[in-house]
Amino acid sequence: MTSNDVEGSCQCESIKLHLKGNIDLWSQCYCSMCRKTSGCPFMTFAAVFEKDLTISGSESMKWFQSSDVIKRSFCVKCGCGIFFKDSREPETIWILAGILDKYPLPTKAKGLYQVFCDDKVSFLEHTSQGIPLLSTEMHRFPMNPSKRD
C-alpha cells in the first residue's frame, strides 16, 4: 500500500475495499434517488476506475437497479451502501464516500463537483448563515427546542 492508496469498508466490515492510487473526482449529489437511497439530503461519492479497486467480501454485496442506467450496491449484513455504477461509464465505479477511511483531496484542480443542485433541499441553502455548528458530541445539543438559546 502506498501513501496515496485508500481503504474502506461497510459498517460491519464484511465488505472491504482497497483503491490503488488517488481519487481525482468527488461529487456531491442532491438528486431524489440519492436522497431516498441514503435517507439524507445528499450523498457524496468518489469516482474511480474499477480496475484500480480490489473488493473483498463481495459475496455480502447485493445490487439493485435504481434507474434505467444506475445500479447501486449495499451490504446484505449491515445495509450499508457501497457503490453505484452508471452503465454509460462502464469503466467507472462511484464509491459512497462515507465508507472510506480517509478523504484525500483530488490531485486535479477540477475534482470537486455538486450535481442536481436544483433538487437541493431548501434548508441546505442556509447552512452557513448563522446556524450553529455542533461538536461531535451530539448529546450535548438539547433536543427539546425550549431548552435551546
Side-chain angles (χ1 to χ4, degrees), residues 36-127:
K36 290 186 182 283
T37 298
S38 67
C40 297
F42 60 88
M43 289 180 84
T44 304
F45 301 97
V48 301
F49 290 113
E50 194 165 7
K51 67 178 179 53
D52 296 332
L53 190 64
T54 303
I55 304 166
S56 63
S58 60
E59 65 278 359
S60 295
M61 191 165 46
K62 293 286 185 197
W63 290 87
F64 70 97
Q65 198 76 35
S66 64
S67 74
D68 292 342
V69 295
I70 302 294
K71 66 180 186 175
R72 299 170 187 266
S73 69
F74 64 95
C75 174
V76 297
K77 294 180 180 177
C78 67
C80 182
I82 309 293
F83 304 113
F84 92 78
K85 286 198 54 84
D86 186 325
S87 62
R88 298 166 294 190
E89 298 178 351
E91 70 284 349
T92 303
I93 192 163
W94 297 78
I95 304 169
L96 278 68
I99 71 167
L100 299 174
D101 295 334
K102 68 178 184 177
Y103 302 93
L105 291 174
T107 56
K108 297 177 182 173
K110 293 185 177 183
L112 303 169
Y113 293 91
Q114 295 184 62
V115 295
F116 292 98
C117 293
D118 290 345
D119 294 341
K120 188 184 287 190
V121 295
S122 60
F123 70 80
L124 288 178
E125 298 298 329
H126 307 289
T127 54

Side-chain angles (χ1 to χ4, degrees), residues 2-6 19-26 46-49 52 102 104-108:
T2 70
S3 63
N4 292 334
D5 290 1
V6 178
L19 174 67
K20 187 167 179 60
N22 292 320
I23 297 172
D24 289 325
L25 178 61
W26 293 89
V48 301
F49 290 113
D52 296 332
K102 68 178 184 177
L105 291 174
T107 56
K108 297 177 182 173

